[in-house]
Amino acid sequence: MENTLKLTNVLSDPTRYNIYQFIVKHHKEVSVVEIAGEFDIHQNVARLHLSKLEDINLVMVCNMHRAFLKGMFESLFAEIDLMEEENIFQGCENCTYTAKLSLV
């Protein structure tokens, strides 16, 4: 029941729902730049919507950028244990997103 509420809450935003549909319909990886351009929104706003979709496992961000950032932080801060949280590494405009589940 809790997952249903999360899903409903995330997809109740019209822009976010349309972004998800855009990703699903393209059947390919889509970048933050493409999404921002398609919906005439700032890239940071696109990232926010994508992170919420990622939180409920509807989209998946490329792991290459996330792995790079994680490795960079670990090498710079060897004395500190990184606590991984969902979406701690937000990615850049070159990161791509793919749909994990289709609601169409």
Side-chain angles (χ1 to χ4, degrees):
M1 178 75 156
E2 186 178 326
N3 288 338
T4 303
L5 291 174
K6 286 180 183 178
L7 178 72
T8 304
N9 185 41
V10 169
L11 292 178
S12 66
D13 182 282
T15 303
R16 194 171 304 126
Y17 179 78
N18 289 330
I19 288 171
Y20 179 69
Q21 291 301 311
F22 177 77
I23 295 170
V24 169
K25 288 178 183 175
H26 275 75
H27 301 290
K28 66 175 182 81
E29 295 178 341
V30 181
S31 72
V32 171
V33 173
E34 289 176 270
I35 292 168
E38 177 70 23
F39 293 94
D40 196 29
I41 57 177
H42 192 275
Q43 291 177 16
N44 289 339
V45 175
R47 281 188 199 94
L48 173 67
H49 286 300
L50 289 164
S51 70
K52 290 183 183 276
L53 291 169
E54 188 181 7
D55 285 344
I56 61 168
N57 294 315
L58 285 180
V59 298
M60 175 175 54
V61 67
C62 72
N63 288 322
M64 182 179 77
H65 189 93
R66 181 171 289 157
F68 170 76
L69 285 175
K70 184 175 185 296
M72 182 181 70
F73 280 106
E74 286 176 342
S75 67
L76 291 173
F77 305 105
E79 303 293 318
I80 299 172
D81 289 329
L82 286 179
M83 293 176 51
E84 288 200 46
E85 296 179 16
E86 290 185 40
N87 294 315
I88 192 169
F89 306 112
Q90 291 296 320
C92 67
E93 60 274 357
N94 296 322
C95 282
T96 55
Y97 293 79
T98 53
K100 292 174 75 176
L101 173 70
S102 176
L103 297 177
V104 180

